[in-house]
Amino acid sequence: MSSQITQNHRENAEVCTDPTICKQNSLQLLEQINMPKGLLPLDDLIEIGHNKQAGFVWLKQKKPKEHRFKKIGKLVWYDDEVTGFLENRRMKKLTGVKSKEILIWVTISDISIQDPEVQKITFATPSGISKAFPVSAFEE
C-alpha cells in the first residue's frame, strides 16, 4: 500500500512499473541531481514515480533490502518504499532509509554533497546528527 505522501504527489507524476526501466530511471535520477549511482542499490524495483514539479520521488521494491557498503563498512536498510525530495546534490525528507550504527538502526533523513570539490557525501538524521563519507564509497 502506498504511503499518504506518495498518494499526494502521484497525480502529476511520471510513474514507471516496468522493473528494467525502473532501475534505469533510478540511476538517471541520481545522475540528474549529481549524486553517486550506487547510493540506492535497489534491485527489485516494481515502481518509481517522480513528480518533477514538487521534486518528489518514490521507489518501491518487492521487499526491504539490506546492503553493505564495503568501502566504508556500513550496513544500510532500504524499506519496500523509499521516498524523498530531490534537489541538486541533495535528497531531503527521506523515508525508508536507515543505517546500522553499533547496535541500533538510525533513520537517515537527508543526504547531500555540500561541496563537490571536497568529494564528501553527508548523511543526516532527523535530529541533525550527521556523518560524512567519501563519495567514491557509493559509486558503482
Side-chain angles (χ1 to χ4, degrees):
M1 186 166 120
S2 294
S3 69
Q4 185 62 44
I5 192 166
T6 299
Q7 288 302 323
N8 292 345
H9 290 283
R10 194 173 191 88
E11 185 176 323
N12 297 316
E14 295 176 8
V15 180
C16 172
T17 56
D18 178 291
T20 304
I21 296 173
C22 285
K23 181 66 175 175
Q24 292 170 355
N25 287 356
S26 70
L27 295 174
Q28 287 173 353
L29 281 174
L30 289 169
E31 187 175 350
Q32 287 171 9
I33 63 168
N34 298 301
M35 295 295 258
K37 287 186 177 182
L39 190 59
L40 298 172
L42 310 177
D43 297 322
D44 292 327
L45 289 170
I46 56 174
E47 182 176 290
I48 181 171
H50 185 206
N51 182 323
K52 290 182 181 179
Q53 184 178 5
F56 181 77
V57 67
W58 70 89
L59 303 101
K60 292 183 184 180
Q61 53 183 347
K62 290 180 183 176
K63 60 184 179 183
K65 177 184 179 178
E66 286 185 6
H67 178 80
R68 180 170 299 282
F69 289 97
K70 293 178 183 163
K71 291 182 180 178
I72 57 171
K74 289 290 178 190
L75 186 62
V76 178
W77 178 82
Y78 299 91
D79 202 351
D80 58 355
E81 182 176 34
V82 174
T83 69
F85 290 87
L86 305 180
E87 296 177 359
N88 186 36
R89 297 192 323 259
R90 185 174 183 200
M91 299 172 74
K92 64 181 184 177
K93 297 183 182 177
L94 283 173
T95 66
V97 181
K98 295 182 179 185
S99 175
K100 185 98 180 227
E101 298 296 326
I102 305 172
L103 298 174
I104 60 171
W105 287 100
V106 177
T107 298
I108 303 298
S109 62
D110 193 284
I111 304 172
S112 62
I113 299 174
Q114 304 295 328
D115 182 356
E117 299 295 320
V118 178
Q119 289 293 300
K120 293 280 185 181
I121 187 166
T122 303
F123 295 80
T125 68
S127 63
I129 298 170
S130 64
K131 192 167 187 179
F133 298 97
V135 170
S136 62
F138 304 93
E139 293 171 347
E140 283 188 313

